[in-house]
Every structure is written in structure tokens, then in C-alpha cells.
Amino acid sequence: MALFCVALDIDSKEKFELIFGETSEFVDIYKIGPVILSSCGLEPLERLTQLKKDIFVDLKFFDIPSVVCRAIRNFCEFNSKFFTVHISAGEKIFRSAVEEASKFQAYVAGVTLLTSSDYDENLILSMAEKAKIWGASWVVCPPVFARKIKENLELKIISPGIRIDKNEKDDHSLSLTPCEAVKQGVDMIVVGRPVIFSENPKIVAQKIKREI
């Protein structure tokens, strides 16, 4: 069964508490990124850790190895289990991040290309292959590429941009529904707007959990 991750791209502590309270019984892991960190600071990390919820830190690191490793180390003071690093950052940065995360039983997921980009399947596969060679067991990619990557490279797949309505794509160019993504072999679906902007996030989260 795929993991269900909610992207907490929200702008206030009150909204965080609302979304968490409504969805926590259905969600396996929460994604923390630049939006919530810049609006709420470390408080959501502290709260999720206190409540023993797993955290996915999605900052798509692309910096010198020492800075990336220090950041991972600091985030692992909380219940952080996943980190994103751009595969295009290169071997030295990527391998260092994988090694640092492993010290805390955490994982680095290699970012192939952003889901708002135009895609070249061969490029996606090439990037994923590099991530595997450099020590990753997870990559981030659109769900339509999941099956091919798993068959060729035996990597686990994280797919963002999952949408409840097939016609609602926003700035994600290759989105699928939760059920469709799981059929493609996705191991972790990341859902943001359909949950956090819903009038009833609890019902949406429950529906998604049942689908996967």
C-alpha cells in the first residue's frame, strides 16, 4: 500500500492546526517546505515530532556538501524521515546527503525534474539511474514514469501533484488521481491543494486513504 503524504503548503499556524487535526488519522507523513517554514517557522516541525508523525522535508537541496549535510543533521533533530536533493546537484553533493541522512535512519529522494516542467522520458530515466548509482533508494518524479523507473531501476517513487479531479492540473503538468498513481506503482503520493484548500479536508483525506 502506498504512503499518503499531505503537503503542508500553508501560511498560518491556525491553518496548520486545522489541517493536522482534520487529517492526522488518515495521513502517514506530512511534507514541510518553504511556504510553511517561512510563515510558521519551526513550530510545525516541533508539533509533528511531539505527536510522533513522520516528516518529509522538501527543500530540494542544491548547495555545497557541508551545508546540505548540516541542514539534514539539524532537521533530524525532529522526526524527519525524507529529504529531497536535486540529482542535478551532482555526485558529491548527492552522495554526501545520502550518507548523512542514513546516520539518522532517514532517506534522500532524488529530484529528477520539477513536476511543472516539460518532460523527456529518457532524461527522467537517466537522472533516476544516477540517483541509484549515488546511493538513493527513492526518487521524485511524475506518476506516469513510476512503472518504467521501478521496472528498470527498482527504485521507490514519490509523486507530487496528485489531483482528485483529472481536469485540475494547476502548475503540475503530468498529474494523476491517487488511484491511478498507485496503479502506476507510486510508493508515496503527495497531495497538497485538494486537501489543504478543501472545505472539508477530513472527508477528502479519508477518501484518498481508501483509494490507495
Side-chain angles (χ1 to χ4, degrees), residues 9-200:
D9 296 326
I10 54 184
D11 296 306
S12 72
K13 295 175 183 177
E14 293 76 19
K15 182 75 170 178
F16 163 73
E17 290 292 348
L18 171 66
I19 296 298
F20 179 78
E22 290 283 294
T23 64
S24 61
E25 65 181 296
F26 309 110
V27 174
D28 300 299
I29 184 166
Y30 287 93
K31 184 168 81 71
I32 298 289
V35 175
I36 193 169
L37 286 173
S38 60
S39 62
C40 302
L42 297 178
E43 191 169 313
L45 288 162
E46 294 168 345
R47 185 97 168 94
L48 291 170
T49 300
Q50 289 169 357
L51 296 168
K52 296 181 169 50
K53 297 300 289 190
D54 288 345
I55 299 167
F56 172 11
V57 178
D58 184 26
L59 293 177
K60 301 178 180 69
F61 292 124
F62 194 136
D63 211 321
I64 61 173
S66 62
V67 169
V68 173
C69 288
R70 285 169 61 194
I72 287 173
R73 196 177 311 135
N74 290 338
F75 277 113
C76 282
E77 292 182 10
F78 306 99
N79 205 32
S80 304
K81 302 299 182 185
F82 290 88
F83 297 90
T84 45
V85 177
H86 276 289
I87 300 166
S88 58
E91 181 175 2
K92 187 174 182 181
I93 293 168
F94 200 90
R95 282 189 183 275
S96 297
V98 170
E99 182 179 346
E100 189 65 31
S102 70
K103 295 175 184 176
F104 302 93
Q105 291 77 54
Y107 299 94
V108 163
V111 178
T112 52
L113 289 174
L114 299 180
T115 51
S116 58
S117 305
D118 294 326
Y119 285 97
D120 178 303
E121 184 176 305
N122 291 329
L123 179 58
I124 293 280
L125 289 170
S126 173
M127 298 286 272
E129 184 176 13
K130 286 181 181 179
K132 181 172 183 178
I133 292 170
W134 298 341
S137 54
W138 293 77
V139 292
V140 181
C141 74
V144 294
F145 298 110
R147 187 178 302 283
K148 193 156 217 178
I149 290 174
K150 290 174 78 76
E151 288 174 352
N152 286 275
L153 299 170
E154 298 182 348
L155 287 165
K156 292 187 177 181
I157 308 296
I158 298 173
S159 288
I162 303 297
R163 294 291 178 259
I164 308 301
D165 181 350
K166 290 183 181 181
N167 298 315
E168 180 190 0
K169 298 193 184 300
D170 301 305
D171 52 1
H172 294 282
S173 61
L174 292 172
S175 59
L176 294 180
T177 66
C179 185
E180 290 171 337
V182 171
K183 286 179 180 177
Q184 289 296 318
V186 173
D187 298 283
M188 183 195 298
I189 65 163
V190 181
V191 187
R193 296 170 208 182
V195 174
I196 65 175
F197 294 151
S198 169
E199 292 183 1
N200 197 327

